[in-house]
Amino acid sequence: MTRVVFTQNLERHIPCPPKEVAAQTVRDALDAVFHENPQLRGYVLDEQGRLRRHVVCFVDGQMIEDRNTLSDRLENDSELYVMQALSGG
Amino acid sequence: MSTLLHVATRKGLFTYASTGVEWDVQSASFIGDPVSAVLQDPRDETLYAALNLGHFGCKLRRSEDGGESWTECAVPTYDAAEGEDAPALKLIWCLEAGGVDQPGRLWAGTIPGGLFVSDDRGDSWKLVRSLWDRPERANWFGGGYDEPGIHSIVVDPRDRDRLIVGVSCGGVWVSNDGGDSWECTTEGMYAEYMPPDRRNDPSIQDPHRLVHCPTMPDVLWVQHHNGVFRSTDGGRTWGEITAIEPSKFGFAVGVHPLEPMTAWFVPGVKDECRIPVDGSLAVARTRDGGQSFDVLRRGLPQHHAYDLVYRHALDVAADGDHLAIGSTTGNLWLTSNQGDRWEALSSTLPPIYAVRFA
């Protein structure tokens, strides 16, 4: 299972507690979370499904490479952190 | 007279209320978050606020209790498309109510250039493809932002299907059928920022702000990138107003709701130096359709003032006597006598994007 954790700063706008999901890729993991919490999608992704410009994702401490299709692979016990990029102010 | 003034800023929405003697902050919402547009729907008093969260995108919130509590609405979204440059919502730049007989209808102007309509008070939105799909849109370009945007939407009070929108930089577009078809009407405007053979091209004009006189909607005023223009034929043709002082550059324009020949502007030096002329803030007012201007300075800072008044940061109240202006420096001024004297309501607000009486 992958543990998905969102920045506490997002909690100010919308509930987003950590979730355990079964997923092969970052896309799968986020889709699984958004399936239960549809409103959260628009805070993390734009309408084209891309990671928002000033949001960053880390898988096991490494920043993901594919911000457009979110194809970065996950391990069975990965941790996926959704954080705010400091470029966003 | 109006008793509420909404002030949308870089760090929150502030609503001032008048006691009849003075104005004070009645409520503050979204503290810390950029509020790009505000609308209090005159048909049902619902308050809408568009947010531009630095990390988490554009949001739209709705309040039915004057800002005490807010509900999240949908935001306009662009259709799925291929490619890394597929369009996505960057900013809700303006919000307007539909006709009085169209309850729930809202219009939204956005960056990167989409006009959107909602018929359910913002619970869902539809891109107006008849404008988005116009081939001339390929000529549009950003003005102050990386991508073009719609900042002005005018709904004719005599005919809710007659719409006029202003695009930076993409001209003035008129629809007579509720948005089913559009015509770009900028005859008389010109663009100093383009090569000579493109200066009259309609679809590259940069109207910074477009307003109409609600009681005589065929009279429209535009603060354009390189001057002031007025139309008396519903936006079909435009005449340049050259008498404005102390300069012809600016963003904001307001028109008297009952007197179409009376309008206000806040001039700046020029596009490459966006500050008041000589560091002295002034409002330019005409009462004769632009033949002459009064330069109004009483109550405004006259030394080392670097306030810029953005395009939505000047509003004229329904009585035509009260006006508000808000600046990038966080100054908020009010006048009760058409600008003859200004009173500072605050000098410590965040940078102000929009002011709006209700």
Side-chain angles (χ1 to χ4, degrees), chain B residues 36-57:
Chain B
S36 60
V38 60
L39 166 69
Q40 184 160 351
D41 190 332
R43 299 166 301 183
D44 63 5
E45 302 303 318
T46 301
L47 186 59
Y48 297 88
L51 311 184
N52 181 27
L53 304 179
H55 303 92
F56 308 119

PDB file of all heavy atoms in Angstrom, chain B residues 36-57:
ATOM      1  N   SER B  36      -9.425  37.578  -6.659  1.00  0.00           N
ATOM      2  CA  SER B  36      -9.240  38.225  -7.965  1.00  0.00           C
ATOM      3  C   SER B  36     -10.484  38.943  -8.460  1.00  0.00           C
ATOM      4  O   SER B  36     -10.384  39.828  -9.315  1.00  0.00           O
ATOM      5  CB  SER B  36      -8.800  37.193  -9.001  1.00  0.00           C
ATOM      6  OG  SER B  36      -9.766  36.167  -9.155  1.00  0.00           O
ATOM      7  N   ALA B  37     -11.651  38.573  -7.978  1.00  0.00           N
ATOM      8  CA  ALA B  37     -12.888  39.213  -8.443  1.00  0.00           C
ATOM      9  C   ALA B  37     -13.958  39.030  -7.389  1.00  0.00           C
ATOM     10  O   ALA B  37     -13.941  38.060  -6.623  1.00  0.00           O
ATOM     11  CB  ALA B  37     -13.344  38.608  -9.770  1.00  0.00           C
ATOM     12  N   VAL B  38     -14.900  39.969  -7.367  1.00  0.00           N
ATOM     13  CA  VAL B  38     -16.013  39.890  -6.426  1.00  0.00           C
ATOM     14  C   VAL B  38     -17.265  40.389  -7.138  1.00  0.00           C
ATOM     15  O   VAL B  38     -17.206  41.292  -7.962  1.00  0.00           O
ATOM     16  CB  VAL B  38     -15.716  40.709  -5.143  1.00  0.00           C
ATOM     17  CG1 VAL B  38     -15.476  42.175  -5.448  1.00  0.00           C
ATOM     18  CG2 VAL B  38     -16.833  40.548  -4.118  1.00  0.00           C
ATOM     19  N   LEU B  39     -18.379  39.759  -6.805  1.00  0.00           N
ATOM     20  CA  LEU B  39     -19.674  40.172  -7.365  1.00  0.00           C
ATOM     21  C   LEU B  39     -20.728  39.980  -6.301  1.00  0.00           C
ATOM     22  O   LEU B  39     -20.845  38.892  -5.733  1.00  0.00           O
ATOM     23  CB  LEU B  39     -20.028  39.319  -8.595  1.00  0.00           C
ATOM     24  CG  LEU B  39     -21.493  39.417  -9.074  1.00  0.00           C
ATOM     25  CD1 LEU B  39     -21.771  40.800  -9.665  1.00  0.00           C
ATOM     26  CD2 LEU B  39     -21.810  38.326 -10.093  1.00  0.00           C
ATOM     27  N   GLN B  40     -21.496  41.029  -6.026  1.00  0.00           N
ATOM     28  CA  GLN B  40     -22.721  40.850  -5.249  1.00  0.00           C
ATOM     29  C   GLN B  40     -23.869  40.931  -6.230  1.00  0.00           C
ATOM     30  O   GLN B  40     -24.139  41.990  -6.798  1.00  0.00           O
ATOM     31  CB  GLN B  40     -22.858  41.892  -4.133  1.00  0.00           C
ATOM     32  CG  GLN B  40     -24.088  41.619  -3.285  1.00  0.00           C
ATOM     33  CD  GLN B  40     -24.038  42.273  -1.925  1.00  0.00           C
ATOM     34  OE1 GLN B  40     -23.025  42.821  -1.507  1.00  0.00           O
ATOM     35  NE2 GLN B  40     -25.152  42.209  -1.209  1.00  0.00           N
ATOM     36  N   ASP B  41     -24.518  39.798  -6.459  1.00  0.00           N
ATOM     37  CA  ASP B  41     -25.547  39.702  -7.489  1.00  0.00           C
ATOM     38  C   ASP B  41     -26.725  40.598  -7.107  1.00  0.00           C
ATOM     39  O   ASP B  41     -27.380  40.348  -6.082  1.00  0.00           O
ATOM     40  CB  ASP B  41     -25.991  38.241  -7.618  1.00  0.00           C
ATOM     41  CG  ASP B  41     -26.871  38.016  -8.826  1.00  0.00           C
ATOM     42  OD1 ASP B  41     -27.561  38.961  -9.248  1.00  0.00           O
ATOM     43  OD2 ASP B  41     -26.863  36.885  -9.355  1.00  0.00           O
ATOM     44  N   PRO B  42     -27.030  41.600  -7.890  1.00  0.00           N
ATOM     45  CA  PRO B  42     -28.130  42.498  -7.509  1.00  0.00           C
ATOM     46  C   PRO B  42     -29.491  41.832  -7.561  1.00  0.00           C
ATOM     47  O   PRO B  42     -30.454  42.337  -6.993  1.00  0.00           O
ATOM     48  CB  PRO B  42     -28.030  43.629  -8.548  1.00  0.00           C
ATOM     49  CG  PRO B  42     -27.328  43.036  -9.714  1.00  0.00           C
ATOM     50  CD  PRO B  42     -26.398  41.996  -9.164  1.00  0.00           C
ATOM     51  N   ARG B  43     -29.576  40.658  -8.171  1.00  0.00           N
ATOM     52  CA  ARG B  43     -30.882  40.003  -8.304  1.00  0.00           C
ATOM     53  C   ARG B  43     -31.291  39.261  -7.043  1.00  0.00           C
ATOM     54  O   ARG B  43     -32.466  39.142  -6.751  1.00  0.00           O
ATOM     55  CB  ARG B  43     -30.860  39.047  -9.504  1.00  0.00           C
ATOM     56  CG  ARG B  43     -30.584  39.779 -10.816  1.00  0.00           C
ATOM     57  CD  ARG B  43     -30.236  38.804 -11.917  1.00  0.00           C
ATOM     58  NE  ARG B  43     -29.040  38.013 -11.568  1.00  0.00           N
ATOM     59  CZ  ARG B  43     -28.479  37.123 -12.376  1.00  0.00           C
ATOM     60  NH1 ARG B  43     -28.977  36.923 -13.580  1.00  0.00           N
ATOM     61  NH2 ARG B  43     -27.404  36.456 -11.995  1.00  0.00           N
ATOM     62  N   ASP B  44     -30.301  38.718  -6.322  1.00  0.00           N
ATOM     63  CA  ASP B  44     -30.645  37.968  -5.109  1.00  0.00           C
ATOM     64  C   ASP B  44     -29.687  38.217  -3.955  1.00  0.00           C
ATOM     65  O   ASP B  44     -29.765  37.535  -2.927  1.00  0.00           O
ATOM     66  CB  ASP B  44     -30.729  36.465  -5.406  1.00  0.00           C
ATOM     67  CG  ASP B  44     -29.385  35.898  -5.866  1.00  0.00           C
ATOM     68  OD1 ASP B  44     -28.381  36.647  -5.851  1.00  0.00           O
ATOM     69  OD2 ASP B  44     -29.337  34.722  -6.234  1.00  0.00           O
ATOM     70  N   GLU B  45     -28.774  39.188  -4.149  1.00  0.00           N
ATOM     71  CA  GLU B  45     -27.826  39.613  -3.106  1.00  0.00           C
ATOM     72  C   GLU B  45     -26.755  38.576  -2.795  1.00  0.00           C
ATOM     73  O   GLU B  45     -25.958  38.761  -1.875  1.00  0.00           O
ATOM     74  CB  GLU B  45     -28.539  40.020  -1.806  1.00  0.00           C
ATOM     75  CG  GLU B  45     -29.540  41.145  -1.987  1.00  0.00           C
ATOM     76  CD  GLU B  45     -28.911  42.394  -2.583  1.00  0.00           C
ATOM     77  OE1 GLU B  45     -27.805  42.758  -2.189  1.00  0.00           O
ATOM     78  OE2 GLU B  45     -29.547  42.996  -3.481  1.00  0.00           O
ATOM     79  N   THR B  46     -26.735  37.462  -3.508  1.00  0.00           N
ATOM     80  CA  THR B  46     -25.671  36.479  -3.271  1.00  0.00           C
ATOM     81  C   THR B  46     -24.311  37.108  -3.570  1.00  0.00           C
ATOM     82  O   THR B  46     -24.151  37.837  -4.548  1.00  0.00           O
ATOM     83  CB  THR B  46     -25.877  35.249  -4.173  1.00  0.00           C
ATOM     84  OG1 THR B  46     -27.148  34.685  -3.893  1.00  0.00           O
ATOM     85  CG2 THR B  46     -24.799  34.204  -3.918  1.00  0.00           C
ATOM     86  N   LEU B  47     -23.355  36.804  -2.714  1.00  0.00           N
ATOM     87  CA  LEU B  47     -22.008  37.339  -2.866  1.00  0.00           C
ATOM     88  C   LEU B  47     -21.095  36.243  -3.420  1.00  0.00           C
ATOM     89  O   LEU B  47     -21.116  35.103  -2.919  1.00  0.00           O
ATOM     90  CB  LEU B  47     -21.506  37.824  -1.497  1.00  0.00           C
ATOM     91  CG  LEU B  47     -20.168  38.549  -1.424  1.00  0.00           C
ATOM     92  CD1 LEU B  47     -20.165  39.808  -2.287  1.00  0.00           C
ATOM     93  CD2 LEU B  47     -19.861  38.915   0.035  1.00  0.00           C
ATOM     94  N   TYR B  48     -20.345  36.572  -4.452  1.00  0.00           N
ATOM     95  CA  TYR B  48     -19.399  35.630  -5.056  1.00  0.00           C
ATOM     96  C   TYR B  48     -17.985  36.195  -4.922  1.00  0.00           C
ATOM     97  O   TYR B  48     -17.773  37.399  -5.112  1.00  0.00           O
ATOM     98  CB  TYR B  48     -19.704  35.425  -6.542  1.00  0.00           C
ATOM     99  CG  TYR B  48     -21.054  34.806  -6.825  1.00  0.00           C
ATOM    100  CD1 TYR B  48     -22.189  35.604  -6.962  1.00  0.00           C
ATOM    101  CD2 TYR B  48     -21.198  33.428  -6.938  1.00  0.00           C
ATOM    102  CE1 TYR B  48     -23.433  35.043  -7.205  1.00  0.00           C
ATOM    103  CE2 TYR B  48     -22.440  32.859  -7.188  1.00  0.00           C
ATOM    104  CZ  TYR B  48     -23.555  33.677  -7.322  1.00  0.00           C
ATOM    105  OH  TYR B  48     -24.781  33.109  -7.570  1.00  0.00           O
ATOM    106  N   ALA B  49     -17.039  35.330  -4.623  1.00  0.00           N
ATOM    107  CA  ALA B  49     -15.632  35.735  -4.560  1.00  0.00           C
ATOM    108  C   ALA B  49     -14.798  34.709  -5.320  1.00  0.00           C
ATOM    109  O   ALA B  49     -14.921  33.503  -5.084  1.00  0.00           O
ATOM    110  CB  ALA B  49     -15.156  35.821  -3.112  1.00  0.00           C
ATOM    111  N   ALA B  50     -13.979  35.205  -6.232  1.00  0.00           N
ATOM    112  CA  ALA B  50     -13.057  34.341  -6.978  1.00  0.00           C
ATOM    113  C   ALA B  50     -11.693  34.419  -6.315  1.00  0.00           C
ATOM    114  O   ALA B  50     -11.174  35.517  -6.068  1.00  0.00           O
ATOM    115  CB  ALA B  50     -12.972  34.784  -8.433  1.00  0.00           C
ATOM    116  N   LEU B  51     -11.131  33.265  -6.008  1.00  0.00           N
ATOM    117  CA  LEU B  51      -9.817  33.206  -5.371  1.00  0.00           C
ATOM    118  C   LEU B  51      -8.783  32.722  -6.379  1.00  0.00           C
ATOM    119  O   LEU B  51      -9.098  31.973  -7.304  1.00  0.00           O
ATOM    120  CB  LEU B  51      -9.829  32.247  -4.171  1.00  0.00           C
ATOM    121  CG  LEU B  51     -10.950  32.409  -3.150  1.00  0.00           C
ATOM    122  CD1 LEU B  51     -10.736  31.445  -1.986  1.00  0.00           C
ATOM    123  CD2 LEU B  51     -11.022  33.833  -2.645  1.00  0.00           C
ATOM    124  N   ASN B  52      -7.572  33.142  -6.170  1.00  0.00           N
ATOM    125  CA  ASN B  52      -6.461  32.650  -6.996  1.00  0.00           C
ATOM    126  C   ASN B  52      -5.376  32.149  -6.047  1.00  0.00           C
ATOM    127  O   ASN B  52      -4.393  32.841  -5.780  1.00  0.00           O
ATOM    128  CB  ASN B  52      -5.937  33.763  -7.904  1.00  0.00           C
ATOM    129  CG  ASN B  52      -4.813  33.292  -8.792  1.00  0.00           C
ATOM    130  OD1 ASN B  52      -4.735  32.111  -9.115  1.00  0.00           O
ATOM    131  ND2 ASN B  52      -3.932  34.206  -9.183  1.00  0.00           N
ATOM    132  N   LEU B  53      -5.600  30.953  -5.519  1.00  0.00           N
ATOM    133  CA  LEU B  53      -4.669  30.414  -4.529  1.00  0.00           C
ATOM    134  C   LEU B  53      -3.320  30.154  -5.196  1.00  0.00           C
ATOM    135  O   LEU B  53      -3.249  29.523  -6.246  1.00  0.00           O
ATOM    136  CB  LEU B  53      -5.233  29.129  -3.932  1.00  0.00           C
ATOM    137  CG  LEU B  53      -6.636  29.251  -3.302  1.00  0.00           C
ATOM    138  CD1 LEU B  53      -7.091  27.899  -2.760  1.00  0.00           C
ATOM    139  CD2 LEU B  53      -6.647  30.306  -2.213  1.00  0.00           C
ATOM    140  N   GLY B  54      -2.292  30.638  -4.583  1.00  0.00           N
ATOM    141  CA  GLY B  54      -0.977  30.582  -5.213  1.00  0.00           C
ATOM    142  C   GLY B  54      -0.546  29.176  -5.591  1.00  0.00           C
ATOM    143  O   GLY B  54       0.083  28.961  -6.626  1.00  0.00           O
ATOM    144  N   HIS B  55      -0.891  28.194  -4.766  1.00  0.00           N
ATOM    145  CA  HIS B  55      -0.477  26.821  -5.034  1.00  0.00           C
ATOM    146  C   HIS B  55      -1.593  25.961  -5.596  1.00  0.00           C
ATOM    147  O   HIS B  55      -1.352  25.097  -6.424  1.00  0.00           O
ATOM    148  CB  HIS B  55       0.038  26.169  -3.747  1.00  0.00           C
ATOM    149  CG  HIS B  55       1.166  26.901  -3.119  1.00  0.00           C
ATOM    150  ND1 HIS B  55       0.982  27.868  -2.158  1.00  0.00           N
ATOM    151  CD2 HIS B  55       2.493  26.834  -3.338  1.00  0.00           C
ATOM    152  CE1 HIS B  55       2.146  28.357  -1.801  1.00  0.00           C
ATOM    153  NE2 HIS B  55       3.086  27.751  -2.501  1.00  0.00           N
ATOM    154  N   PHE B  56      -2.801  26.227  -5.152  1.00  0.00           N
ATOM    155  CA  PHE B  56      -3.864  25.238  -5.364  1.00  0.00           C
ATOM    156  C   PHE B  56      -4.913  25.678  -6.374  1.00  0.00           C
ATOM    157  O   PHE B  56      -5.994  25.107  -6.426  1.00  0.00           O
ATOM    158  CB  PHE B  56      -4.500  24.888  -4.014  1.00  0.00           C
ATOM    159  CG  PHE B  56      -3.488  24.479  -2.982  1.00  0.00           C
ATOM    160  CD1 PHE B  56      -3.324  25.183  -1.806  1.00  0.00           C
ATOM    161  CD2 PHE B  56      -2.656  23.384  -3.225  1.00  0.00           C
ATOM    162  CE1 PHE B  56      -2.379  24.815  -0.866  1.00  0.00           C
ATOM    163  CE2 PHE B  56      -1.698  23.002  -2.294  1.00  0.00           C
ATOM    164  CZ  PHE B  56      -1.555  23.713  -1.110  1.00  0.00           C
ATOM    165  N   GLY B  57      -4.612  26.704  -7.160  1.00  0.00           N
ATOM    166  CA  GLY B  57      -5.464  27.054  -8.285  1.00  0.00           C
ATOM    167  C   GLY B  57      -6.571  28.047  -7.964  1.00  0.00           C
ATOM    168  O   GLY B  57      -6.678  28.585  -6.862  1.00  0.00           O
TER     169      GLY B  57
END
